[in-house]
Amino acid sequence: MSTRRPSYSRVPSVSFSKHSSISSDDFYEEPAPEPTRSTSGAQDNKDGIWNTTRRKLTLVSMCLIYFAATASFAILSPFFPGEAQEMGASGTMVGLIFGIYPLVVFVVAPLIGVLLPTIGPRFTLTAGLFLCAGSQILFGFVSMLPKGVVFVVFCFVLRIVMALGGAAADTASFAIVAGEFGTNIGTVTGAMETFTGLGFMLGPPLGGVLYSAGGFKLPFIVMGSLVLSILPVVLVILPNDESKCHWTKEGWVVIAGNKNSRNSMIGLSILVSGIVLGFLDPTFAPYMKKFGLGPSKVGLLFLLCAGCYAVSAPLVGWICDKTGKTRVVIIIGAIFVIIGILLLAPAPFITFLPQRQVWLVCVSMGLLGAAVSAYQVPCMPDMLETARDHGMPQDISTHGVLSGIFNAMASIGAFLGPTVSGLTENYLTFEWSTVVLAGILGVQIIVLAIFTLFDQGRKRIRKYSTRGKEPFERDNHIQV
């Protein structure tokens, strides 16, 4: 695929004539002078999100992919546990069937990111969507299998295939977006996260409605067909993978983190954000029974959290693009996540707040949704900026491996979230388990803040040392 290299307004481009607002051929016969920061505005306009039809269609198709994929993932929760237990699956097996998806994504997403330059993002996205759709449709027929071991084995196999397709589609989508919308990556990521939130919001109720209307098969057939219907759109909009390249040793620097500890710290933030998102899944509903709330009202509380996430994600991305302060946004978002978590129960040591008040739970869930978007959405733009600062090429090789890392860390966080929640509640109350989660997040954000201060100081030292060399280098250039 011929992926357009993004140009970042804060970093001068090597190709001077390409980024100059006035063509040098109109006035000069010699090479054009080095562009200044004043040309960034023109370049931003040139690289706008809606400046070409293909960009518009690409963004719309990516948003549809994220909505369909997340909705397909979420439709199981209202009815599958009960059906699976009737088919002879134990509660532990049901949990493993749910958990195998993020675990497989964690394992294979970095590998797909490494192979992406070779196999091409268009083929990877198409193959991933095909695997997701096919396995989703076939999953609807597992209820016709014999009860017991056969049912459980086929559920595991189909969920693994579904995870392989999801990892391929997500990794390719991130790489395509990073290559196509370089200067607006935060805004575009926020828009895509909005559709992710909508998928999680509408998936469970849609699954429940389809299950009531047509039984076990209908939800999977409908959602699988929806994913399959996006394939022709992808094939028409995205160009062929004509400029595929092979992975070079620089890519392993990003993965190993030998010279790139900043991305390691952001990867840890992505992991913790996944833990936060999955922490409430197994424990929140039983705790809300003490408030007298049934499953439908608990579902509305989850809907409130996802809705606030979906609404705030584009705003967070836009702020990151305009200010470039991704690390500051991450830290502020984490602080508000801690506040929302501590207000949820509330924490036992917060004695001045009323206990077991539904309005306080609603405020906490809304705050959590908005804060998690500020904590997670800036991570991908920060990783791209870090790779650029370390001299990584802004092409599909870098975008592929970074998107693989992002998906892997988010998936293992989603796998660890329910696990950590279940373990803490076995030994502690729900109130104290939220304190443990806030403590984990607090330690991580303190380490990130210290590392950010150290990194900023190192940047200033390098900047001053470079300024000191500039007069000598300029004089030496004139002499030559």
Side-chain angles (χ1 to χ4, degrees):
M1 170 180 170
S2 179
T3 304
R4 185 180 185 278
R5 292 189 177 187
S7 66
Y8 297 87
S9 59
R10 294 188 297 276
V11 178
S13 173
V14 177
S15 180
F16 297 149
S17 60
K18 178 179 178 181
H19 295 276
S20 178
S21 59
I22 302 177
S23 175
S24 61
D25 295 334
D26 295 337
F27 298 96
Y28 304 103
E29 295 182 358
E30 65 271 21
E34 181 177 350
T36 61
R37 294 180 62 91
S38 62
T39 62
S40 61
Q43 185 62 24
D44 288 340
N45 295 331
K46 181 179 178 182
D47 290 338
I49 299 176
W50 304 106
N51 62 346
T52 64
T53 302
R54 188 171 70 85
R55 280 195 168 190
K56 296 175 185 177
L57 295 176
T58 299
L59 180 57
V60 170
S61 62
M62 293 297 109
C63 291
L64 288 176
I65 289 171
Y66 269 67
F67 172 77
T70 52
S72 299
F73 176 81
I75 61 171
L76 279 76
S77 55
F79 61 90
F80 180 76
E83 289 282 344
Q85 290 179 359
E86 290 183 5
M87 293 293 292
S90 63
T92 302
M93 285 298 173
V94 173
L96 291 175
I97 291 172
F98 275 91
I100 194 65
Y101 187 102
L103 188 61
V104 171
V105 173
F106 167 72
V107 174
V108 302
L111 179 61
I112 294 174
V114 171
L115 297 176
L116 192 64
T118 303
I119 59 181
R122 183 175 184 264
F123 175 80
T124 305
L125 179 58
T126 303
L129 291 177
F130 183 79
L131 289 176
C132 280
S135 57
Q136 187 83 7
I137 293 173
L138 291 176
F139 203 91
F141 295 89
V142 295
S143 60
M144 302 174 62
L145 296 173
K147 295 183 179 181
V149 177
V150 177
F151 171 82
V152 172
V153 169
F154 271 88
C155 286
F156 272 108
V157 171
L158 291 175
R159 289 285 287 178
I160 290 172
V161 175
M162 201 182 302
L164 291 174
D170 286 346
T171 303
S173 298
F174 264 119
I176 292 170
V177 167
E180 189 67 29
F181 303 97
T183 54
N184 302 285
I185 183 63
T187 304
V188 175
T189 302
M192 294 170 65
E193 288 300 319
T194 295
F195 281 83
T196 300
L198 290 175
F200 280 116
M201 287 168 57
L202 300 179
L206 183 60
V209 170
L210 293 174
Y211 175 77
S212 300
F216 187 85
K217 299 184 185 66
L218 188 60
F220 300 101
I221 294 176
V222 170
M223 297 309 299
S225 300
L226 177 62
V227 176
L228 200 62
S229 65
I230 302 176
L231 272 176
V233 180
V234 173
L235 292 174
V236 171
I237 294 175
L238 299 181
N240 294 325
D241 295 327
E242 297 175 351
S243 59
K244 294 182 289 186
C245 58
H246 295 282
W247 191 247
T248 58
K249 64 179 182 179
E250 287 83 359
W252 299 106
V253 175
V254 179
I255 298 177
N258 293 332
K259 301 190 318 182
N260 201 350
S261 54
R262 285 170 60 186
N263 269 343
S264 301
M265 296 301 302
I266 295 300
L268 184 60
S269 298
I270 299 169
L271 186 149
V272 176
S273 68
I275 294 176
V276 172
L277 290 173
F279 188 84
L280 298 178
D281 288 344
T283 58
F284 184 65
Y287 175 72
M288 293 308 296
K289 288 182 179 179
K290 300 177 181 179
F291 292 72
L293 300 182
S296 60
K297 294 182 179 179
V298 173
L300 290 177
L301 290 174
F302 278 108
L303 192 66
L304 173 63
C305 182
C308 292
Y309 180 92
V311 170
S312 60
L315 178 61
V316 171
W318 180 81
I319 292 173
C320 292
D321 285 339
K322 291 299 181 181
T323 64
K325 305 295 185 180
T326 54
R327 194 66 58 82
V328 176
V329 176
I330 292 173
I331 295 174
I332 293 175
I335 293 173
F336 279 99
V337 171
I338 293 174
I339 295 174
I341 292 171
L342 294 178
L343 293 179
L344 185 61
F349 53 82
I350 306 180
T351 57
F352 58 88
L353 288 177
Q355 303 296 312
R356 297 186 181 180
Q357 295 293 320
V358 177
W359 68 266
L360 184 60
V361 177
C362 293
V363 171
S364 178
M365 292 294 283
L367 180 60
L368 273 177
V372 169
S373 69
Y375 184 42
Q376 190 178 63
V377 169
C379 290
M380 190 63 183
D382 193 282
M383 293 173 70
L384 288 169
E385 182 181 358
T386 299
R388 184 186 65 240
D389 291 345
H390 284 79
M392 295 296 300
Q394 297 304 304
D395 55 19
I396 192 62
S397 60
T398 302
H399 301 155
V401 72
L402 290 180
S403 61
I405 293 173
F406 185 95
N407 289 324
M409 300 308 292
S411 297
I412 194 61
F415 176 77
L416 292 175
T419 304
V420 173
S421 177
L423 289 176
T424 54
E425 196 181 26
N426 284 337
Y427 299 98
L428 303 170
T429 62
F430 178 82
E431 292 85 350
W432 280 108
S433 66
T434 58
V435 175
V436 171
L437 178 61
I440 294 173
L441 185 59
V443 171
Q444 187 269 326
I445 209 62
I446 289 173
V447 174
L448 179 63
I450 294 174
F451 182 85
T452 301
L453 293 175
F454 174 77
D455 189 55
Q456 291 298 323
R458 186 171 54 184
K459 274 187 175 181
R460 291 191 182 95
I461 294 175
R462 186 167 61 246
K463 181 178 179 180
Y464 291 141
S465 62
T466 303
R467 285 181 177 178
K469 295 179 180 178
E470 283 180 356
F472 173 77
E473 292 176 351
R474 184 169 58 250
D475 294 341
N476 189 36
H477 177 70
I478 294 174
Q479 292 175 5
V480 174

